[in-house]
Amino acid sequence: MSGLGAEAYRVQTGAELGHLLTWLGPEDTLRGMFFRSLQDAMLTLLGEAAMEACLEEVSGERDFVDFFAYPAVDFLRMVRRAAWLMEERGCEGQETLRMLGHLGTAAFLKSPAGKAMDVLASGTPRRVLENLPMAYQMISPKGGPLSVTALGPTRARVNFQRDVLPCAYLEGLLEALLKKAGARGVRIEGRRVNSSCEFLLSWTEGD
């Protein structure tokens, strides 16, 4: 994706979000921690007016509890508005989504379930990926299965089936998890095929 120009990034981001919003139903949910992390990001980066603009996209509850489940379509509408607002400040859409993925991961790792996963992972990228399917079911309770295939000591394939989040958001999420576990030189190549996202990951071990 690095060869795309700014306009192509904008079109790609809008097309993917539009695609997701067309097939997600009321049964598709995400945990409140992701809504809250987006709120915090907009408040910090662009101020209260931007945060309120994103909350205008929510159809119901606006006081999010970390491990309550909320409609995924509301989150995607918030993400779309955030991407538009950031674009007005010169940040392209894919980079905004990756940043939000980083922040969503930070919110998860601060939660009780995230702290438990951090202990299970023992600070190694390989173990983080081994526990990723379990963690994903916690954060996206109605999402499809996630599979991880080791391709070598520092390479892996991750497939999110029937995923409810944009690919670039997931790239940020995966990168944040690997770096938290001490990975260096992280490289992620991702692509969406209909409702699934597949990623090839590589990294080097930390000192």
Side-chain angles (χ1 to χ4, degrees):
M1 293 185 290
S2 59
L4 293 176
E7 177 64 15
Y9 271 125
R10 186 188 67 78
V11 172
Q12 177 175 298
T13 301
E16 184 183 19
L17 287 169
H19 168 74
L20 288 169
L21 286 167
T22 59
W23 63 261
L24 288 178
E27 73 280 4
D28 296 301
T29 58
L30 287 167
R31 300 298 187 187
M33 69 183 83
F34 292 98
F35 292 78
R36 188 172 54 76
S37 71
L38 191 151
Q39 276 183 275
D40 291 345
M42 288 298 100
L43 181 62
T44 300
L45 294 170
L46 299 181
E48 187 173 355
M51 182 190 73
E52 287 297 326
C54 291
L55 287 172
E56 289 174 1
E57 303 291 339
V58 177
S59 59
E61 180 63 54
R62 292 169 52 148
D63 294 323
F64 304 108
V65 179
D66 278 359
F67 258 72
F68 283 15
Y70 301 91
V73 291
D74 281 351
F75 182 71
L76 291 179
R77 291 188 185 111
M78 288 179 69
V79 165
R80 182 174 60 184
R81 179 64 73 90
W84 289 343
L85 292 169
M86 291 294 290
E87 187 179 70
E88 292 174 357
R89 301 295 181 93
C91 184
E92 56 93 358
Q94 297 285 295
E95 188 56 39
T96 295
L97 296 182
R98 279 189 286 270
M99 176 198 69
L100 293 175
H102 267 271
L103 295 173
T105 301
F108 169 66
L109 291 175
K110 290 177 183 177
S111 71
K115 290 177 181 177
M117 181 186 169
D118 209 21
V119 171
L120 289 172
S122 300
T124 68
R126 187 72 175 267
R127 291 202 65 191
V128 163
L129 293 177
E130 288 173 354
N131 287 287
L132 188 58
M134 176 183 65
Y136 186 64
Q137 285 301 306
M138 294 179 188
I139 65 177
S140 180
K142 298 299 183 180
L146 182 157
S147 63
V148 177
T149 304
L151 303 175
T154 58
R155 295 178 62 241
R157 178 185 296 110
V158 177
N159 184 270
F160 294 80
Q161 298 179 37
R162 201 183 183 282
D163 179 61
V164 303
L165 291 165
C167 275
Y169 189 102
L170 292 171
E171 284 183 24
L173 182 153
L174 291 169
E175 183 179 29
L177 284 175
L178 289 172
K179 288 184 174 180
K180 177 68 167 56
R184 301 289 184 268
V186 176
R187 293 180 60 87
I188 302 176
E189 297 179 13
R191 65 188 183 115
R192 174 172 292 280
V193 179
N194 297 321
S195 61
S196 299
C197 281
E198 181 179 87
F199 299 91
L200 292 176
L201 283 58
S202 64
W203 65 92
T204 58
E205 298 290 350
D207 297 333

